[in-house]
Amino acid sequence: MTDPASAPRFRNPRARHNFIGRTCSITGVGAYVPERVLTNADLERMVDTSDEWITTRTGIKERRLAAEGEATSDMAARAALRAMEAAGVGPADIDLIIVATVTPDMLFPSTACLVQEKIGARRAAAFDLEAACSGFIYGLEVGQQFITSRTYDTVLVIGAEKLSAIVDWQDRNTCVLFGDGAGAAVLQNREGSHGLLTVCMGADGAKGSVLCVPAGGSARPPTPQSVDQRLHYIRMDGKETFKNAVQAMHAAAREALQRCELEIAQIRCIIPHQANRRIIDAVGDRLGATEDQVFVNVEKYGNTSAASVAIALDEAVSTGRIRRGDLVLLVVFGGGFTWGAAVIEW
Ligand code: ACO
């Protein structure tokens, strides 16, 4: 593998658009997962499935479930405080809170406002962002715009989900896949670091119904019938999602690398959305990545949607898989469809 430290970098001006002024770095990450573990053996007692089926199709062995009364904002706040500690910032330093989630505590106020109150960031503006499993990368891009434009100095981007609240525990096609948790990043300008080199985002609204929660919004408000028909739970065409995920993640990662004129071998750590081991392996193979470049923790947490890459990034940093100066590639895909990729100089 080429040593990232000695490789030529960032010749492409498209990757450098934000360097003309101010750069944006991730100066701290943090994560929180609830204590309660739901194993494949537990699921065998709930639906007609097996550890063997789940493991071979998805790579997932267990996932975490929020405690009774624990909401998305509670997990988001815990992850945020850990990221803030890592970055060495306090609540009064936060200018903006962005929470990426498909499982807000309620329709409004936003989960970001609830987090603002929980962490005591009284000065901060706050809003939610919804891009399903791609939400954290969308959040990084939105957050960095505020930093590079000098509008704000310190932005908190959080991916947090309580998917157990919208999973149909009678549907074996979906209930084995998802888990709860939160991850957070503090974005700031850091002298001498390029930070976020590029972020690519995309969407295909024509495929929205392939992966969705059909009711509960303004199109189909909740009624006794919608509850009876179980329309408030995740519905997914697994094969269609799988196919699109591999194609879109591969294309987004390629585009991000091209923008920076980087080869895959120069990337120290690739963190794909942790949805399914087979999707991760297929994307890694297509990119020509080696196994030790690709970070995987899906076996422990399942798919935590917007929290997934944030939790993985925190684990990769805390276990030393990513060190200062390394080049990191994040790549995601989710409902919408949405997708994205980011290249970061750590
Ligand atoms: N246990 C046992 N059998 C099951 C289970 C289960 N938990 N779930 C489905 N099956 C059965 C189905 O009923 C079906 O049976 P049938 O053929 O009698 O109708 C059969 O298994 C389907 O098996 P496969 O064709 O082997 O399934 P496939 O290889 O498509 O794997 C899976 C299914 C795991 C859902 C896969 O399609 C997938 O991972 N898709 C992507 C889903 C995903 O990651 N979604 C997350 C949201 S988007 C994102 O984050 C990327």
Side-chain angles (χ1 to χ4, degrees):
M1 192 163 95
T2 313
D3 176 7
S6 63
R9 291 178 177 181
F10 330 135
R11 282 163 297 166
N12 187 335
R14 282 182 74 196
R16 302 197 50 162
H17 65 280
N18 52 358
F19 304 162
I20 295 161
R22 196 192 207 197
T23 61
C24 173
S25 291
I26 296 176
T27 55
V29 283
Y32 168 80
V33 290
E35 261 172 49
R36 187 173 156 210
V37 176
L38 186 76
T39 64
N40 291 350
D42 296 328
L43 279 162
E44 284 176 356
R45 291 187 283 274
M46 294 164 63
V47 287
D48 181 13
T49 191
S50 65
D51 173 49
E52 191 272 334
W53 193 96
I54 301 170
T55 306
T56 53
R57 300 310 200 288
T58 73
I60 301 166
K61 298 300 281 184
E62 56 187 47
R63 65 290 290 145
R64 300 299 181 97
L65 298 189
E68 191 72 30
E70 191 173 29
T72 296
S73 66
D74 297 313
M75 295 185 280
R78 283 175 180 250
L81 288 170
R82 288 175 184 171
M84 288 159 62
E85 193 184 343
V89 301
D93 298 313
I94 307 295
D95 297 307
L96 172 66
I97 302 167
I98 301 171
V99 174
T101 187
V102 293
T103 47
D105 287 25
M106 56 194 87
L107 279 180
F108 72 89
S110 70
T111 302
C113 282
L114 302 172
V115 170
Q116 187 234 34
E117 208 276 322
K118 283 179 180 164
I119 65 173
R122 298 195 172 281
R123 266 190 343 98
F127 64 85
D128 286 2
L129 181 158
E130 209 273 72
C133 305
S134 307
F136 185 70
I137 280 193
Y138 270 60
L140 289 181
E141 172 67 337
V142 174
Q144 87 151 329
Q145 298 296 333
F146 286 102
I147 302 285
T148 57
S149 66
R150 297 175 189 271
T151 308
Y152 293 131
D153 292 324
T154 305
V155 176
L156 192 52
V157 178
I158 307 167
E161 301 285 10
K162 184 178 172 180
L163 292 168
S164 60
I166 60 165
V167 158
D168 184 347
W169 292 105
Q170 294 177 14
D171 177 13
R172 69 176 182 174
N173 291 290
T174 51
C175 76
V176 302
L177 302 174
F178 299 100
D180 301 336
V186 174
L187 303 187
Q188 294 176 304
N189 170 252
R190 181 165 56 203
E191 288 297 317
S193 171
H194 290 113
L196 281 158
L197 299 177
T198 198
V199 183
C200 305
M201 302 187 293
D204 182 0
K207 302 237 174 76
S209 61
V210 177
L211 175 58
C212 64
V213 175
S218 62
R220 293 173 96 166
T223 60
Q225 291 75 22
S226 68
V227 173
D228 284 349
Q229 290 164 17
R230 311 187 75 74
L231 298 179
H232 298 276
Y233 297 122
I234 296 173
R235 295 270 178 99
M236 180 186 71
D237 176 339
K239 282 193 195 307
E240 192 62 17
T241 304
F242 190 107
K243 206 174 62 191
N244 282 272
V246 173
Q247 281 168 0
M249 290 169 77
H250 173 246
R254 280 255 160 264
E255 186 186 342
L257 290 170
Q258 250 165 28
R259 282 194 195 176
C260 304
E261 295 196 352
L262 288 167
E263 300 295 330
I264 193 71
Q266 291 171 262
I267 301 294
R268 179 73 73 193
C269 188
I270 302 163
I271 303 187
H273 171 47
Q274 305 288 311
N276 178 314
R277 179 75 205 224
R278 289 189 299 150
I279 294 175
I280 294 170
D281 288 347
V283 172
D285 284 351
R286 285 194 184 195
L287 287 172
T290 59
E291 212 173 299
D292 63 327
Q293 276 177 292
V294 183
F295 188 87
V296 184
N297 68 3
V298 70
E299 70 283 358
K300 292 189 286 190
Y301 306 123
N303 180 351
T304 58
S305 187
S308 149
V309 284
I311 292 172
L313 183 61
D314 175 70
E315 190 175 322
V317 171
S318 63
T319 56
R321 283 281 298 272
I322 297 174
R323 293 173 199 281
R324 182 60 52 84
D326 284 350
L327 292 170
V328 178
L329 172 67
L330 311 181
V331 56
V332 294
F333 180 84
F337 287 145
T338 54
W339 56 85
V343 180
I344 305 166
E345 183 191 42
W346 198 254

